Amino acid sequence: KLLVSPSAGGWVSVYPNQHGQDDKVSKKIAKKCGGDLIHLAIHDDDVLYYWLYKDGKLLDKYSTCPEYFEQLSPRAKAAWTGKPELLAPLVAHAVATQSIVDLLEQMRSEPLFTSPSPTELSDLLGISNAWTAYEYLMDGETDGVADWNQFVHLPDLSSEQRQKQKR
């Protein structure tokens, strides 16, 4: 199950269930749709992840704490370092690549919700509504979510809703 937002700032946001933690969803979307895709996720308010795809291929991945779930080999840990310069072409406005590098390094070296906040990354990319999840939206936590009334649920829930109304 997932929610799809209308286009905003050139981005369409997709909110899969399970709080967007499964990168298999973004991998499938990237292969089917092509173009640029960035999967942003936060786990337990502690760790920020992203996976960056271009035309269906994984270009980069990043984590503020790659060993959050398990200890990794040095090579596997290095794979989560990220290449922030690959984000530069996606920023919403002219920003030096070094600014992106500095932001991601600062996020890795400090607790996630101190300074800077993940919102700074989504703002740089011009992505609205980045830091919410399917479950929160479906539970009615939509205050401040741009164009919420235009989101589409997949699969379509109208038959389920009619069944509930009948009961």
Side-chain angles (χ1 to χ4, degrees), residues 11 26 30 36-39 50-54 57-62 83-90 125:
W11 292 101
S26 57
D36 296 316
L37 183 143
I38 186 163
H39 177 161
Y50 74 68
W51 294 265
L52 176 64
Y53 298 87
K54 175 90 175 165
K57 297 193 187 313
L58 180 66
L59 287 185
D60 190 28
K61 60 185 183 176
Y62 169 86
K83 299 176 193 100
E85 65 277 6
L86 296 176
L87 294 176
L90 304 178
L125 295 168

Side-chain angles (χ1 to χ4, degrees), residues 58-112:
L58 180 66
L59 287 185
D60 190 28
K61 60 185 183 176
Y62 169 86
S63 171
T64 56
C65 186
E67 294 187 300
Y68 186 80
F69 296 105
E70 63 184 332
Q71 201 166 29
L72 301 173
S73 70
R75 184 177 178 183
K77 186 176 177 181
W80 285 100
T81 302
K83 299 176 193 100
E85 65 277 6
L86 296 176
L87 294 176
L90 304 178
V91 295
H93 45 312
V95 132
T97 300
Q98 191 59 46
S99 298
I100 299 168
V101 172
D102 293 346
L103 174 67
L104 293 177
E105 278 304 313
Q106 189 176 358
M107 291 173 82
R108 181 171 277 142
S109 65
E110 297 178 11
L112 188 58

